[in-house]
């Protein structure tokens, strides 16, 4: 699988809930959710914090990150600040740095500048940034694109600071980390790991549309709280209103609102379920895509071992009914849900 994660910041009820989907070590400070790059697609993140760190993405030599970026009011100490880091656990292998004086990006290994771009990033304008890093001590690669045009293409580089030719996470940094003040906006994010035959290289300027539960599904085996149908419990944002289940292979599916803006070039979908344990036993869950009368259950499971609600993300790069890329009609007619495996 190449597509690892997407986020359009349109489904969060508040900034605090972001850490349920990202790493809990993220420090968002006074960051805010505000009108996104494409208004009809919801919010973006107005980032003023210390770091927004991904959960572990798995060890791979190559990672590609795409995101919409707008410099709102950045005023870092000495005019320079880190925007994006490619991580090997807690160590930064390679990073993307922005200079608010020259208004250009540079890429670095540690404190060593490997290349500096020439495209000026004007304050108040949106840009779509894509960065690919291959982690290697001698044959490393860094490719930076701005609005799909190549800004830097560096080969035969040392792109690691550890002994490992690998990346397993990314982190966005704010002025709270670099010193100084100010904010930038972040939207329409994707992360690829460079593997496989699908979504293994730059996707171009992408948009992320968030769909919410719109009505009941065909399979309702989880138990809703009194006074709610299953889908209504999911629609409710209160932590005290939720569906519950016990046993094995217990499936719930829901119908979702239709896509409003995206109708072509769909790279994949991510099903996110917010789940916690009500006992001390670890449980396994899978996502479900129901098409017609068929429940397509994810091949891989995730383990729930916390009594606090956390987000669990499942990627489906292709339509399981056709085996090829999703279409808007395929998404709009499908139901999505969850399987308590054990």
């Amino acid at each position: 699988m190449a597509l690892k994660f997407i986020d359009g910041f349109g489904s969060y009820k508040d900034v605090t809930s972001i850490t349920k989907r990202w790493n809990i070590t993220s420090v968002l400070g006074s960051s805010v959710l505000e009108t996104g790059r494409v208004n009809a697609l919801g919010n973006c993140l107005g980032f003023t914090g210390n770091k927004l760190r991904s959960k572990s993405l798995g060890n791979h030599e190559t990672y590609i990150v795409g995101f919409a970026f707008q410099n709102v009011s950045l005023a870092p100490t000495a005019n320079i600040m880190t925007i994006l880091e490619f991580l090997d656990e807690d160590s930064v292998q390679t990073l993307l740095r922005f200079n608010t004086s020259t208004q250009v990006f540079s890429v670095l290994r540690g404190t060593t500048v490997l290349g500096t771009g020439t495209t000026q990033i004007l304050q108040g304008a949106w840009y779509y940034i894509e960065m690919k890093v291959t982690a290697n001590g001698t044959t490393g690669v860094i490719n930076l694109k701005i609005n799909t045009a190549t800004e830097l293409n560096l080969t035969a580089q040392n792109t690691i600071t550890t002994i490992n030719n690998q990346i397993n996470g990314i982190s966005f940094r704010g002025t709270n980390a670099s010193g100084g003040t100010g904010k930038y906006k972040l939207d329409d994010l994707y992360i690829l790991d460079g593997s496989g035959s699908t979504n293994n290289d730059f996707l171009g300027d992408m948009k992320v549309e968030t769909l919410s539960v719109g009505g009941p599904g065909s399979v309702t085996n989880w138990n809703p709280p009194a006074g709610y149908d299953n889908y209504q419990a999911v629609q409710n944002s209160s932590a005290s209103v939720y569906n519950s289940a016990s046993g094995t292979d217990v499936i719930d599916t829901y119908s979702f609102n239709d896509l409003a803006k995206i109708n072509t070039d769909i790279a994949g979908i991510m099903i996110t379920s917010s789940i916690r344990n009500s006992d001390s036993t670890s449980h396994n869950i899978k996502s479900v895509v129901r098409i017609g009368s068929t429940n397509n259950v994810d091949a891989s499971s995730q383990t729930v071992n916390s009594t606090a609600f956390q987000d669990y993300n499942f990627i489906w790069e292709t339509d399981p009914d056709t085996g090829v890329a999703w279409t808007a009609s395929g998404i709009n007619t499908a139901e999505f849900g969850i399987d308590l495996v054990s």
Side-chain angles (χ1 to χ4, degrees), residues 30 46 92 100 103 105 133 143 157 169 174 218 224 239 251 256-257 267 270 337:
S30 56
V92 179
T100 56
Q103 298 180 303
F105 285 115
V133 175
N143 194 327
Q157 301 289 315
S218 302
I251 293 177
F256 280 69
N257 297 322
M270 186 173 80

Side-chain angles (χ1 to χ4, degrees), residues 195-210:
S195 67
S197 58
T198 303
N199 297 328
N200 58 6
D201 209 342
F202 293 112
L203 298 182
D205 188 339
M206 300 299 287
K207 296 176 178 62
V208 178
E209 183 169 354
T210 300

Side-chain angles (χ1 to χ4, degrees), residues 179-190:
T181 61
K183 176 177 71 175
Y184 66 85
K185 292 182 180 181
L186 181 65
D187 205 355
D188 295 326
L189 169 97
Y190 76 78

Side-chain angles (χ1 to χ4, degrees), residues 45-268:
L45 178 64
F47 190 38
T48 61
N50 182 295
K51 64 179 175 180
L52 177 62
R53 180 172 176 175
S54 71
K55 294 181 179 179
S56 179
L57 299 170
N59 295 330
H60 291 275
E61 190 174 20
T62 298
Y63 268 94
I64 303 126
V65 180
F67 59 99
F69 174 86
Q70 183 188 118
N71 173 13
V72 178
S73 57
L74 292 176
T77 302
N79 297 321
I80 57 175
M81 64 173 293
T82 297
I83 300 294
L84 173 64
E85 298 171 331
F86 289 75
L87 306 173
D88 178 17
E89 301 300 340
D90 292 330
S91 298
V92 179
Q93 301 280 48
T94 305
L95 62 90
L96 178 68
R97 191 172 72 182
F98 183 59
N99 187 313
T100 56
S101 176
T102 60
Q103 298 180 303
V104 297
F105 285 115
S106 296
V107 295
L108 296 84
R109 179 193 71 251
T111 59
T112 301
V113 176
L114 302 178
T116 298
T118 58
T119 300
Q120 288 190 305
I121 305 300
L122 303 180
Q123 192 172 43
W126 281 104
Y127 297 85
Y128 202 80
I129 311 301
E130 296 176 282
M131 185 170 173
K132 175 166 64 174
V133 175
T134 297
N136 194 280
T138 56
T139 61
V141 174
I142 301 175
N143 194 327
L144 178 67
K145 290 180 179 283
I146 300 176
N147 293 338
T148 73
T150 298
E151 182 77 355
L152 293 170
N153 187 12
L154 307 176
T155 60
Q157 301 289 315
N158 178 2
T159 57
I160 61 173
T161 60
T162 69
I163 62 172
N164 304 313
N165 294 328
Q166 67 184 30
I167 297 163
N168 45 44
I170 63 104
S171 180
F172 288 93
R173 305 307 295 260
T175 48
N176 280 8
S178 302
T181 61
K183 176 177 71 175
Y184 66 85
K185 292 182 180 181
L186 181 65
D187 205 355
D188 295 326
L189 169 97
Y190 76 78
I191 303 175
L192 312 179
D193 66 21
S195 67
S197 58
T198 303
N199 297 328
N200 58 6
D201 209 342
F202 293 112
L203 298 182
D205 188 339
M206 300 299 287
K207 296 176 178 62
V208 178
E209 183 169 354
T210 300
L211 304 182
S212 57
V213 170
S218 302
V219 184
T220 54
N221 292 323
W222 287 47
N223 301 310
Y228 292 86
D229 289 332
N230 292 49
Y231 79 95
Q232 293 172 326
V234 176
Q235 289 175 329
N236 193 296
S237 60
S238 171
S240 62
V241 178
Y242 51 84
N243 297 318
S244 60
S246 61
T248 58
D249 292 321
V250 186
I251 293 177
D252 239 20
T253 64
Y254 316 94
S255 65
F256 280 69
N257 297 322
D258 288 350
L259 289 164
K261 290 293 181 181
I262 296 176
N263 51 37
T264 59
D265 299 323
I266 299 172

Side-chain angles (χ1 to χ4, degrees), residues 8-10 32-37 42-46 126 185-187:
F9 301 95
V32 295
L33 293 170
E34 52 190 298
T35 301
R37 181 171 65 134
N43 294 327
C44 70
L45 178 64
W126 281 104
K185 292 182 180 181
L186 181 65
D187 205 355

